[in-house]
Amino acid sequence: MFKYLTLIGVVIFLGWLLQRQWRLKKMQWKGERVPEQKGLRPITLLSLVMVVLYGGYMLWYLINQMLQTVT
């Protein structure tokens, strides 16, 4: 189940990223000023979210396994 949620998240992220890049290119073609990148890059944000999700899942799984062996 978790792998499907991850896949959906990655597909949504890629769709958002492609839409954003397309919008920036259209602004560039029209000669408008393209906003400069500030803060975290989108791929950094995605990687942080994935690490937190997988780390949380791993901790939940390990704690659950430890509790099952104790009882």
Side-chain angles (χ1 to χ4, degrees), residues 7-49:
L7 181 63
I8 289 170
V10 169
V11 167
I12 290 172
F13 172 75
L14 288 176
W16 172 80
L17 186 63
L18 290 174
Q19 183 180 18
R20 180 177 178 271
Q21 290 296 327
W22 180 253
R23 184 174 46 87
L24 291 175
K25 281 292 182 187
K26 281 177 39 179
M27 287 175 66
Q28 195 176 32
W29 291 335
K30 290 180 181 178
E32 298 175 7
R33 185 169 170 252
V34 179
E36 57 186 63
Q37 183 76 24
K38 292 182 182 176
L40 292 175
R41 293 175 50 202
I43 193 69
T44 305
L45 185 61
L46 177 67
S47 65
L48 288 173
V49 169

